[in-house]
Amino acid sequence: MRKTRWLMVFIALFLMGLPMTALARETDAVVSTDWLQKNLTNPKVIVVDIRKVEDYKAGHIPGAVNVFYGAWAVKRGDLLNELPPWDDLMDLIGNAGIEKSSWVVVVGKMEKVVDQFDMTRVAWTLKSAGVENVSILNGGEDKWQKEGKTISQDAVKPKAKSYSSSMSRNLFVDKAYVANSVGKLTLIDARAPAFYSGKEKLPFVAKAGRIKGSLNLPASMIFTPEGLFRGKSELAPVAEKVTGSDLNKEIIVICDSGRVATSWAFVMADVLGYKNVKVYDGSMQEWSLDSLMPIETSTQP
């Protein structure tokens, strides 16, 4: 009996230690407009439109709930794109009618390059709060309307759910975690090469350059010129060339403010099968403000 009891304890502890991104999902990470059209009447499907309310009112996918991007990624002090307070996030999810068993499809616009990353940021945030089946509509609202699919102007008020998750799934990490990880795991910088090398920087980033030891994997490589996600067969070798072939290694993805980084994090974890991917929420905006944090410049060897 004692051996059996200890075996059960060991198994439970082992399962608790598994990366949460390894949980099974019931939907594809990136879904097509045709798939969504066929599944709009499925009661498990919750379409979350993250565009501005005026865009939503002008026309949206039938049944879609409007929760603007800025509610999912808030400004905290000087830092942009931070997680909302945990209780606020729980309310936000529940008020959108989302349950842990829901199939959430995040829909945004694709007019600008930066728009492509709003959907991955929201999807990653939902995953961090325990919603496993989160998908992104390939091509967003733009593709849906371009194809002449049905549009509604009826505002949807979802039936609020009581949503709760006792803890973050550790998909976002802070500066201290990253500082302790330098040289110990793989740091992926998802910015364009000019920003990675330190030749350019955004105004809200104090110093140009990259976190010491990070490797460059630009987020632009994920998308086709039309703004669609490339397929797994194209993305896998691109990622493997930088990260290596070990899908179990711990990887932290960074960018300027924690938005662009979610693109590769989402693709790695939910399309390519990496088991232990995290995003540094503060990214270079926070890192560059601390004179004690190591920053490199010049091009990658």
Side-chain angles (χ1 to χ4, degrees):
M1 287 294 293
R2 180 175 296 179
K3 289 183 178 179
T4 301
R5 183 170 66 251
W6 278 109
L7 178 61
M8 292 176 66
V9 170
F10 173 78
I11 292 173
L13 291 173
F14 174 76
L15 291 174
M16 287 174 64
L18 287 175
M20 294 299 289
T21 51
L23 294 177
R25 51 181 302 140
E26 300 171 352
T27 58
D28 290 336
V30 180
V31 297
S32 69
T33 51
D34 288 340
W35 181 93
L36 182 56
Q37 186 178 45
K38 293 175 183 177
N39 284 275
L40 279 181
T41 58
N42 186 329
K44 295 185 76 172
V45 172
I46 305 291
V47 180
V48 178
D49 188 326
I50 61 172
R51 298 176 300 154
K52 293 180 179 179
V53 65
E54 55 266 32
D55 295 330
Y56 173 80
K57 288 181 176 179
H60 56 265
I61 295 170
V65 178
N66 185 217
V67 187
F68 174 52
Y69 172 79
W72 300 100
V74 303
K75 183 177 181 181
R76 182 175 298 140
D78 293 328
L79 300 181
L80 309 172
N81 297 303
E82 296 294 291
L83 276 176
W86 197 248
D87 289 345
D88 292 348
L89 180 58
M90 297 299 100
D91 290 341
L92 190 68
I93 294 172
N95 290 338
I98 297 171
E99 301 175 288
K100 288 184 179 178
S101 61
S102 297
W103 294 0
V104 181
V105 180
V106 182
V107 178
K109 59 183 182 179
M110 306 293 290
E111 294 175 3
K112 301 177 182 177
V113 175
V114 294
D115 293 333
Q116 298 171 342
F117 310 118
D118 288 357
M119 290 189 287
T120 57
R121 172 74 197 201
V122 173
W124 197 253
T125 298
L126 284 162
K127 282 170 56 64
S128 78
V131 183
E132 183 60 29
N133 288 290
V134 183
S135 304
I136 292 171
L137 180 63
N138 205 7
E141 184 75 25
D142 304 58
K143 192 171 189 294
W144 181 275
Q145 295 198 21
K146 185 178 180 180
E147 292 174 347
K149 288 181 166 54
T150 304
I151 292 296
S152 173
Q153 292 182 324
D154 297 330
V156 176
K157 184 173 178 58
K159 183 178 179 181
K161 306 291 184 179
S162 178
Y163 188 90
S164 65
S165 182
S166 60
M167 58 180 288
S168 168
R169 293 175 51 198
N170 299 319
L171 300 187
F172 289 98
V173 295
D174 60 17
K175 183 177 67 174
Y177 189 99
V178 177
N180 290 331
S181 302
V182 171
K184 300 176 184 177
L185 48 76
T186 301
L187 293 174
I188 297 296
D189 191 320
R191 297 176 299 166
F195 294 87
Y196 170 78
S197 67
K199 292 179 180 178
E200 298 180 25
K201 76 175 188 67
L202 292 176
F204 59 79
V205 177
K207 289 180 285 189
R210 61 182 179 268
I211 296 177
K212 183 179 179 180
S214 59
L215 304 173
N216 194 209
L217 187 56
S220 59
M221 301 177 78
I222 294 173
F223 303 98
T224 68
E226 297 76 28
L228 302 177
F229 281 85
R230 298 185 187 277
K232 182 177 180 179
S233 61
E234 292 182 83
L235 292 169
V238 171
E240 184 176 330
K241 186 177 180 180
V242 178
T243 66
S245 58
D246 183 4
L247 299 181
N248 293 306
K249 67 164 59 176
E250 184 175 4
I251 296 172
I252 298 176
V253 191
I254 62 177
C255 58
D256 281 311
S257 68
R259 177 168 57 168
V260 174
T262 59
S263 59
W264 267 119
F266 185 79
V267 166
M268 286 179 181
D270 288 76
V271 177
L272 304 182
Y274 287 75
K275 303 298 191 297
N276 195 3
V277 184
K278 302 175 176 69
V279 168
Y280 173 22
D281 210 10
S283 280
M284 286 306 300
Q285 183 182 18
E286 181 181 42
W287 189 268
S288 65
L289 290 171
D290 191 335
S291 61
L292 298 178
M293 297 297 104
I295 291 180
E296 295 179 328
T297 56
S298 78
T299 56
Q300 180 180 358

